[in-house]
Amino acid sequence: MTKVIFLDAAGTLFDVRGSVGEVYGKTAQRFGVTVKSEELNAAFSQSFASASPMAFPGIEAAKIPQLEFEWWQAVCAKAFQIAGIFHQFSDFPKFFVELYAHFATAEPWFVYPDVLPALNKWQQQGIELAVVSNFDSRIYPVLKALNLAEYFTSVTISTEVGAAKPDSQIFTAALQKHNCTAENVLHIGDSFKADYCGAKNAGLNAIWLNRQQDKIDLGKFNLTDSHQVEEFPSLDLI
């Protein structure tokens, strides 16, 4: 019996309006930098994929927000470098301060239409809800701004735990906030590796929210029951 549902954040509950490249590009234009959003979005994807996990083990809590800021600044700078336009900035740090603050608001995000109906249904069923995400501290103002915060009993993020999904440590940390065993917890997320594989390997039940209907090679993943992957394209089908 499912007593608690863990949910990923970005890509599961909400996502960027348009694309990251569009949002970055619009802000860059105000600083005199012109770029094609498609090229910048591809550059961001490359930069983000090559970055180290956003987790800072052994670091005191007071220092984490600054480390998160620096992590994202490095990813952003590399994206503009890959796109070949970083040199156009006269003051990249000033640009990034504005961009970083922008992503802590509701403006660049949209909530998937299947989210609120699903959260309300589960809440009415008496199921506890929690967020487990490789997000940074901005998750708190973002959830509040998107009117989602009230649904969740707990929020667990990689930067505070010191481990990022698919590392089982983040799932263990989230589980400790709820009075139940792993067998009674279901984790739902859009990343097959980080969410589905991570949760299954941590002993939780899991569903892959395959919104994009991606195809994967199960042989590349270390799953003992990979032939029984549970996946749905939308939360309202779960």
Side-chain angles (χ1 to χ4, degrees), residues 30-59:
R30 295 202 293 273
F31 287 80
V33 177
T34 303
V35 59
K36 293 182 179 179
S37 60
E38 299 85 359
E39 294 178 2
L40 185 54
N41 198 58
F44 168 79
S45 295
Q46 185 178 336
S47 176
F48 185 82
S50 66
S52 59
M54 189 168 48
F56 315 108
I59 300 298

Side-chain angles (χ1 to χ4, degrees), residues 135-151:
F135 213 90
D136 54 69
S137 300
R138 291 174 296 173
I139 188 70
Y140 300 105
V142 168
L143 287 174
K144 188 172 182 179
L146 296 176
N147 297 315
L148 295 174
E150 64 189 47
Y151 288 96

Side-chain angles (χ1 to χ4, degrees), residues 7 19 42 52 72 74-75 96 114 122-123 125 154 176 217 221:
L7 291 135
S19 71
S52 59
W72 276 111
V75 169
F96 185 73
D114 58 347
W122 294 328
Q123 202 172 56
Q125 292 173 347
S154 72
Q176 290 172 348
D217 180 1
F221 297 91

Side-chain angles (χ1 to χ4, degrees), residues 12 29 53 56 63 83 88 110-111 126 128-129 152 192 219 238:
T12 298
Q29 284 180 346
F56 315 108
K63 294 181 179 179
Q88 293 185 25
F110 73 92
V111 178
E128 285 187 30
L129 303 174
F152 300 104
F192 183 76
I238 299 174

Side-chain angles (χ1 to χ4, degrees), residues 27-172:
T27 306
Q29 284 180 346
R30 295 202 293 273
F31 287 80
V33 177
T34 303
V35 59
K36 293 182 179 179
S37 60
E38 299 85 359
E39 294 178 2
L40 185 54
N41 198 58
F44 168 79
S45 295
Q46 185 178 336
S47 176
F48 185 82
S50 66
S52 59
M54 189 168 48
F56 315 108
I59 300 298
E60 59 186 90
K63 294 181 179 179
I64 290 175
Q66 181 60 32
L67 292 175
E68 293 172 339
F69 179 89
E70 293 170 359
W71 189 94
W72 276 111
Q73 186 173 34
V75 169
C76 182
K78 186 174 181 180
F80 280 97
Q81 289 164 357
I82 292 171
I85 53 172
F86 182 81
H87 65 280
Q88 293 185 25
F89 285 99
S90 59
D91 192 343
F92 182 81
K94 185 177 180 180
F95 154 77
F96 185 73
V97 166
E98 182 174 318
L99 182 71
Y100 194 76
H102 181 60
F103 275 95
T105 70
E107 189 174 344
W109 306 104
F110 73 92
V111 178
Y112 285 104
D114 58 347
V115 169
L116 290 178
L119 296 182
N120 282 314
K121 177 184 70 175
W122 294 328
Q123 202 172 56
Q124 289 167 8
Q125 292 173 347
I127 297 173
E128 285 187 30
L129 303 174
V131 171
V132 180
S133 172
N134 290 349
F135 213 90
D136 54 69
S137 300
R138 291 174 296 173
I139 188 70
Y140 300 105
V142 168
L143 287 174
K144 188 172 182 179
L146 296 176
N147 297 315
L148 295 174
E150 64 189 47
Y151 288 96
F152 300 104
T153 303
S154 72
V155 174
T156 304
I157 55 176
S158 59
T159 55
E160 293 177 351
V161 173
K165 296 180 295 185
D167 192 314
S168 62
Q169 187 179 337
I170 188 171
F171 294 102
T172 300

